[in-house]
Amino acid sequence: MKKQNLFFAAIAALVFTSCDKTEIKEVEKIVYADQAGSLSLTFDARYGDSDFELNKKYPYQLVNSEDTYDLEFEFNRLRYWVSNVKLVDKDNKEHALPDSYYLVEETNEIEVEHLINGEKYPAKKREKVTIKDIPSGEYKAIKFSIGVDQKYNDNITLTAGELGSLNGMGVSDGWMWFTSYKFLTLAGTMHWAAGTPTSKALSWETGSNELFDGAEKTIELATPLKIDAQNSAKITLDVDVKELLSATDQPWTNNSISQSKKELMKAFRDAFLSKSLTFKEAGSVSVEAN
């Protein structure tokens, strides 16, 4: 009986000791090289050789068939949708990244006319997009579109990625009473540089399903990027706003570009894709396991 009592006493002591002092051990995280990785995609806005800033006057020399003119442009808004991102691996296989809809923007505060109580869209600057869950591999090119494909453009109540009627150009910068998205918009004021104080508002925008066709941009990389759980990638693109002004040689006359001017919308879109948007640099970064 004494031995049995001693046994139960020992068990009780162990129980009370466990209650008084609980030891927690951290389990080491194991990272496998073939797990998904991430990519940061930066759209670095510039004006020629200068950094792009809102509410700052930039010189622009306009040369057309009539004469040469010195103007100044002062911007208050640059916004566009980046969508349908695809990565091309070293074997030329395309990997479409699901729900890849991102709003890149630099804008002053915007009044939301269609909402009550005087709501305003806050001033924002967003140049960097981070894409996660990219299948591990080596990629030699990236493709994406500027705008929103027909499925979502025809029904802005649908959500995917950052799309939605309460985000970005779906509300504060929408048109036709929210029936579709604007794909690309540039707004501000243009001034004669000298001789007269005359100024005009600038409002250029693109949209419509027909303009989404042909809106894809392919960026070829000099060296393939390795992406996996241990290697994230970075791609930086330049967006030269000065090149966007080449969409027309009559900006004073065509200070407003919208749905009623389809050819100018196309020219504006093409100026963005072929002249303004260019490759800057890319690289892989080793990720330390946490």
Side-chain angles (χ1 to χ4, degrees), residues 34-37 87 95-97 133-139 227-228:
D34 61 351
Q35 289 179 333
L87 289 172
H95 300 260
L97 306 181
D133 300 322
I134 295 175
S136 62
E138 290 188 50
Y139 299 99
I227 300 178
D228 54 35

Side-chain angles (χ1 to χ4, degrees), residues 163-176:
L163 292 176
S165 59
L166 296 179
N167 183 28
M169 287 196 274
V171 167
S172 61
D173 220 359
W175 56 19
M176 293 162 49

Side-chain angles (χ1 to χ4, degrees), residues 68-82:
T68 298
Y69 307 93
D70 290 322
L71 301 174
E72 291 178 327
F73 285 83
E74 183 178 1
F75 305 99
N76 57 43
R77 193 178 311 170
L78 172 64
R79 315 177 82 195
Y80 49 93
W81 283 102
V82 175

Side-chain angles (χ1 to χ4, degrees), residues 175-208:
W175 56 19
M176 293 162 49
W177 291 100
F178 304 158
T179 60
S180 63
Y181 289 95
K182 291 181 182 179
F183 296 173
L184 164 67
T185 181
L186 179 69
T189 307
M190 58 178 144
H191 315 267
W192 289 111
T196 175
T198 304
S199 301
K200 255 189 181 183
L202 178 79
S203 178
W204 289 2
E205 52 202 30
T206 70
S208 80

